[in-house]
Amino acid sequence: YAASVLQDKLGAYRRHVQTAYIQLQNTEDTEVRCAQAKELLEYMIPMLTRGVLGSVELSAFVKKADELAEIVAASEEKWLDAYTHDDLFHIAIAADEDAIAEKWSNRLTANYPNTQNAYTCRLHLYYKQGRREEFRETLAELKQSDVVVDAQLLEWIRIFG
């Protein structure tokens, strides 16, 4: 029973995303397009962070979410807060879309430099990619910053610092 409920929810999710995405593509007005992109992004992210989609489908949806975020960033970059950047990073990492993850990590660092999320995303990316020197440099930066660290960051500092 639970599996059929999940399948129904996923089917509705896919249909809604597809319909809204097509509608957005057919919209020429920049302001309306931005509003549609924001609405669809807000709808998509919660499902993408749940880990219920297969890898191929997740990758396709992450690419759509990235495209939507780019539309929003072109008009209203401030709407994309640190948490949205963080969500975009984490769904891209989950889909093994490292280039997209790096882009949102870099933007997070540029737009919200002294935040826990910016450090966490950079460390996660560097660790995943085996970029040891950048990982160590970021960890050293974090230690020198005034950023309040959570349990995960504290553990990384203990292990790698």
Side-chain angles (χ1 to χ4, degrees), residues 65-93:
D66 177 56
E67 181 184 339
L68 296 169
E70 288 291 356
I71 291 168
V72 175
S75 297
E76 293 183 42
E77 183 142 18
K78 290 293 179 200
W79 183 84
L80 296 168
D81 62 13
Y83 297 106
T84 305
H85 282 77
D86 187 69
D87 285 340
L88 289 163
F89 169 82
H90 281 96
I91 62 175
I93 283 289

Side-chain angles (χ1 to χ4, degrees), residues 39-59:
E39 185 178 314
L40 186 52
L41 199 55
E42 286 176 332
Y43 178 79
M44 289 178 70
I45 286 176
M47 182 67 81
L48 296 177
T49 59
R50 287 196 176 103
V52 294
L53 298 170
S55 61
V56 172
E57 191 172 32
L58 178 62
S59 180

Side-chain angles (χ1 to χ4, degrees), residues 59-146:
S59 180
F61 278 115
V62 165
K63 288 174 184 173
K64 273 189 175 121
D66 177 56
E67 181 184 339
L68 296 169
E70 288 291 356
I71 291 168
V72 175
S75 297
E76 293 183 42
E77 183 142 18
K78 290 293 179 200
W79 183 84
L80 296 168
D81 62 13
Y83 297 106
T84 305
H85 282 77
D86 187 69
D87 285 340
L88 289 163
F89 169 82
H90 281 96
I91 62 175
I93 283 289
D96 283 326
E97 293 291 341
D98 286 2
I100 294 172
E102 186 160 10
K103 174 175 62 173
W104 290 105
S105 175
N106 290 341
R107 286 189 180 176
L108 176 58
T109 301
N111 294 329
Y112 305 95
N114 289 316
T115 61
Q116 180 180 310
N117 291 357
Y119 285 103
T120 302
C121 289
R122 285 172 37 209
L123 288 168
H124 189 157
L125 181 69
Y126 298 153
Y127 182 81
K128 180 182 185 283
Q129 294 179 339
R131 293 161 61 181
R132 290 184 177 136
E133 190 57 38
E134 287 152 307
F135 183 90
R136 285 189 190 103
E137 288 170 7
T138 303
L139 205 55
E141 266 181 56
L142 175 60
K143 286 180 184 177
Q144 298 301 315
S145 75
D146 294 333

